[in-house]
Amino acid sequence: MTPTDADISERVKTFEHAVVPHELFKKGRRAIETLRRRWRPKGVKPLKARALLILGEPGAGKSFILETLAEENPKRATEDGDVRPVIFVEAPKRTTPRQLAAAIFDALEPGYRLRDGWNTARILSEIKMLCEEMGVEVLMIDEAHHIVDHKNTDDLEDAAEFLKQLLNMCSTQIVLAGLPHLGVLPETKKLRQLRRRFRPPVHLDPYNWSDRTGRRKYLGMLAFFERHLGLPEPSNLIGFDFAARIYCATGGHVGIISAHLSLALETAVADGKSRIDLPLMAGAYADLVLKRKPAVLLDFDAGFPDEVPAGRTGEAEGRARNAGPEAASDDNPYLAQGEAFRALWRKMAGDRLADQSRVTAHRTKEAAPPSAFGRPA
């Protein structure tokens, strides 16, 4: 029976909504729940509000942690009005304090508009009023690196002052999730004052392939994904070669792994495949990363099947079979062989170290580049 589009969509949705119980997800959840317990309802002497940074590269799982918490804590209707314990906000690109405030208002009460004549004090007063009325325990701001992107010191201090005053006025705790450079800010008086209101940051780093414990946890994560694929045959994602190729293609980031597997699963279900294999993952990588670059150059002199000289039909058919995505394998980690794969691995490892060097304020040492070509001792 051929699956319908609705069947395929439902299978993919079920897979994507599976919460991977890996260590990094639990770490982020615990930190937010610990912060949330500082909240006190209106009328009870509050504890000082604090902020928490959740830092990680794209695909590390930051947004998933926040979105999961928001879904698990929906709005509740009571006799006294709506209660919204958790608010999820996405910071606009190159956001200013007023743009951030507008996004907060929209998340708190859609249609509640920030008036042009309001000064900072009025804006903060309105946010405080809404948070108290709705019992907002934690305000989670995703893409928070936009608050500090492309800003000079004065603009950064304005943003820091806005967040500091928000923490001072509200008992609502704040979570800021963003790229690692969110945690690396200039040493100015106002920024130091804001830092003192922060709890220790949470870094969502990928599991280390070169470390025995890290690789075991990474393979455990792949095993969880395997169980939730729901295909007739095992795909053996945890096999050494398959697992190494997935790591090379994704850097070990859980969100990127999920995206690759999700697209491969969609294709497998649509085509009636019984498992996910390397060609399916290569197709997903080509769509998501390579953007389907042409596998071969367009050859003006190429012949068509009805123009092939007698006796050379088999050769032409062989070229046709090899003209798919598999033909351009040197830039696809799921298909590259030998030195080509090693070059892709070195690039991934080099990119990892480059990312680490940008956030040395939070690092005491840097790990050596992970090697794919030896099993852990």
Side-chain angles (χ1 to χ4, degrees):
M1 179 178 174
T2 303
T4 65
D5 289 346
D7 293 333
I8 297 171
S9 177
E10 188 62 30
R11 287 283 300 277
V12 172
K13 185 175 74 171
T14 300
F15 173 77
E16 291 180 351
H17 285 192
V19 177
V20 185
H22 64 100
E23 185 177 282
L24 299 178
F25 179 82
K26 295 177 182 177
K27 180 181 178 182
R29 283 284 302 257
R30 278 197 306 269
I32 296 175
E33 293 294 354
T34 299
L35 177 73
R36 186 177 168 184
R37 286 195 290 271
R38 294 183 60 85
W39 178 81
R40 297 292 183 270
K42 186 177 180 180
V44 177
K45 184 177 180 180
L47 296 174
K48 282 187 175 182
R50 292 284 186 263
L52 171 70
L53 295 179
I54 305 286
L55 304 172
E57 295 296 329
K62 306 178 298 296
S63 298
F64 187 72
I65 292 173
L66 271 55
E67 290 167 357
T68 301
L69 279 168
E71 290 172 2
E72 293 175 357
N73 295 271
K75 177 174 65 176
R76 304 192 310 269
T78 70
E79 293 181 355
D80 298 324
D82 291 340
V83 173
R84 304 190 61 188
V86 174
I87 295 293
F88 177 88
V89 179
E90 185 170 315
K93 287 186 177 181
R94 301 191 182 188
T95 186
T96 64
R98 288 188 69 86
Q99 290 172 328
L100 178 60
I104 293 172
F105 279 128
D106 189 57
L108 286 167
E109 188 69 48
Y112 196 95
R113 191 169 61 84
L114 189 158
R115 307 308 195 264
D116 291 338
W118 288 357
N119 59 19
T120 301
R122 177 67 185 275
I123 291 171
L124 292 168
S125 177
E126 294 288 328
I127 293 175
K128 176 185 178 183
M129 180 268 293
L130 289 172
C131 287
E132 288 180 347
E133 287 185 353
M134 297 182 183
V136 179
E137 300 171 17
V138 60
L139 176 65
M140 303 186 302
I141 302 174
D142 198 14
E143 306 293 337
H145 51 272
H146 292 323
I147 299 172
V148 303
D149 281 348
H150 310 291
K151 288 183 169 58
N152 57 38
T153 302
D154 289 342
D155 290 338
L156 280 173
E157 290 195 337
D158 288 343
E161 186 64 22
F162 179 81
L163 290 172
K164 187 184 74 172
Q165 290 185 41
L166 187 58
L167 288 167
N168 287 339
M169 291 188 66
C170 298
S171 60
T172 299
Q173 314 298 310
I174 297 178
V175 175
L176 300 167
L179 298 178
H181 67 264
L182 174 62
V184 184
L185 298 174
E187 285 291 332
T188 69
K189 181 178 179 181
K190 288 184 178 179
L191 291 171
R192 284 196 298 272
Q193 290 173 344
L194 179 62
R195 281 198 191 93
R196 287 198 288 267
R197 304 297 297 273
F198 283 6
R199 294 181 63 82
V202 174
H203 297 274
L204 300 182
D205 296 323
Y207 296 126
N208 188 345
W209 174 271
S210 299
D211 174 75
R212 176 183 290 275
T213 300
R215 192 180 301 187
R216 176 175 54 80
K217 291 177 179 178
Y218 166 70
L219 294 177
M221 181 171 63
L222 291 186
F224 176 90
F225 279 129
E226 173 94 56
R227 290 193 297 272
H228 284 77
L229 288 173
L231 293 171
E233 297 180 13
S235 302
N236 195 27
L237 301 181
I238 64 172
F240 181 82
D241 183 65
F242 211 153
R245 291 179 182 278
I246 293 173
Y247 197 97
C248 183
T250 65
H253 292 295
V254 60
I256 303 177
I257 295 171
S258 178
H260 288 198
L261 287 173
S262 176
L263 189 54
L265 174 63
E266 181 180 341
T267 305
V269 174
D271 294 348
K273 304 283 188 182
S274 59
R275 62 187 177 89
I276 286 178
D277 55 19
L278 288 176
L280 277 177
M281 292 297 283
Y285 185 87
D287 282 340
L288 293 170
V289 181
L290 302 179
K291 309 302 182 185
R292 283 291 179 191
K293 292 194 294 188
V296 292
L297 294 175
L298 298 178
D299 186 355
F300 179 80
D301 295 318
F304 294 96
D306 58 349
E307 298 173 348
V308 177
R312 299 186 62 186
T313 304
E315 180 184 340
E317 289 176 348
R319 284 198 303 270
R321 283 196 300 271
N322 292 327
E326 295 86 351
S329 61
D330 285 357
D331 58 354
N332 193 315
Y334 295 109
L335 297 174
Q337 300 296 323
E339 184 55 36
F341 180 71
R342 291 173 180 267
L344 291 175
W345 186 278
R346 287 193 294 268
K347 181 181 183 305
M348 178 274 296
D351 290 345
R352 175 76 55 77
L353 289 179
D355 292 336
Q356 290 176 344
S357 69
R358 289 195 292 268
V359 290
T360 52
H362 294 293
R363 297 290 190 272
T364 56
K365 61 180 180 179
E366 292 184 350
S371 171
F373 311 110
R375 301 173 190 271

